[in-house]
Amino acid sequence: MKAVALTWKRDLLMHRPVLWLLLIVNALGTFYGYIWYGTQMAYTVETQSAWQVIFVPDSPTASLFFTLSLVFLLFPRLIKPTMAGIAVRSIIEALGVVTSIKYGIWAVTMIMASGAQGDHLVWEHYMLTVSHLGMAIEAILFARYMVFGRFAAFLALVWLLLNDTVDYTFFVFPWLPDVLENDLSAIQSFTMGLSVFSLLITWLMIAFRKVKV
């Protein structure tokens, strides 16, 4: 009975209408996310070095990589099964999963932390909470269906730690509510720790690929 339930869930997740729905939702979310970060990206280009702008839109970039990963699931022959093709797909998928877990959890935590310290939460905060929780959950669920391995996931961690270092060295991290400004040191530590945690969760999900259902 358990095997039947697991098989049904697997088939549901990989059903093409489900994949198409998630692809559309993630693509729209990615587009909205870059609009959301538009002001900060423009400010970064105007006031700091232009190369730092790539490190500003964390969540949309994570969503972009995951959207591309869904494209690979829908069209597995899109990239030729050569060593180079598999390497490119693996890195994109690893970035999509590891960064989506990290920034999904991070955004929700920051929203809840700001609310706990007296920030007034509006409907947009709750919308962002739901959407970012969705980012993390879908990344965890779909990691087992992708081709990337532990090393590609580790490379995603390297990118995250580089991103974290740039964010808190040059102050290009996502703009925080005023109530969290005094907690910047703790947020930095939490952010970098969450990068490692996201890798560990990803490695755990990779291990589930060995489970036969």
Side-chain angles (χ1 to χ4, degrees):
M1 192 71 180
K2 181 179 178 182
V4 172
L6 288 173
T7 302
W8 177 83
K9 184 172 73 171
R10 179 191 62 194
D11 291 342
L12 176 63
L13 290 175
M14 292 299 290
H15 199 43
R16 291 186 71 83
V18 174
L19 291 173
W20 271 111
L21 176 61
L22 290 175
L23 176 64
I24 293 170
V25 170
N26 278 273
L28 292 175
T30 300
F31 181 72
Y32 175 80
Y34 281 113
I35 293 175
W36 174 274
Y37 276 96
T39 301
Q40 185 176 355
M41 293 169 69
Y43 176 82
T44 301
V45 171
E46 292 172 3
T47 63
Q48 298 181 216
S49 298
W51 65 267
Q52 295 169 11
V53 73
I54 192 175
F55 298 98
V56 173
D58 295 332
S59 293
T61 301
S63 179
L64 174 61
F65 284 125
F66 192 80
T67 300
L68 292 174
S69 301
L70 291 172
V71 172
F72 295 144
L73 291 179
L74 277 166
F75 305 101
R77 296 182 181 179
L78 188 63
I79 292 184
K80 293 183 179 180
T82 61
M83 184 175 296
I86 293 174
V88 170
R89 176 176 174 177
S90 295
I91 292 173
I92 291 175
E93 289 182 344
L95 286 168
V97 169
V98 180
T99 61
S100 290
I101 295 173
K102 187 250 179 89
Y103 292 119
I105 297 173
W106 187 90
V108 173
T109 304
M110 293 303 105
I111 291 171
M112 294 299 102
S114 64
Q117 295 195 34
D119 193 28
H120 177 62
L121 300 184
V122 297
W123 71 268
E124 205 166 22
H125 290 102
Y126 297 107
M127 179 272 290
L128 291 171
T129 297
V130 171
S131 62
H132 282 81
L133 274 178
M135 281 179 59
I137 292 171
E138 67 180 2
I140 292 171
L141 289 176
F142 279 93
R144 63 182 301 189
Y145 303 115
M146 298 179 183
V147 303
F148 73 92
R150 292 176 180 270
F151 181 68
F154 176 76
L155 293 180
L157 171 65
V158 173
W159 164 257
L160 281 178
L161 293 177
L162 172 63
N163 198 338
D164 295 340
T165 301
V166 173
D167 276 358
Y168 294 94
T169 299
F170 299 99
F171 301 99
V172 292
F173 51 82
W175 285 340
L176 298 168
D178 292 340
V179 295
L180 295 181
E181 290 294 340
N182 293 332
D183 302 316
L184 189 57
S185 179
I187 290 173
Q188 178 179 358
S189 298
F190 170 75
T191 301
M192 301 189 81
L194 187 56
S195 294
V196 177
F197 174 78
S198 299
L199 172 69
L200 296 178
I201 291 296
T202 302
W203 276 353
L204 179 63
M205 297 313 298
I206 289 175
F208 277 126
R209 292 174 182 168
K210 300 178 182 179
V211 177
K212 295 182 179 179
V213 296

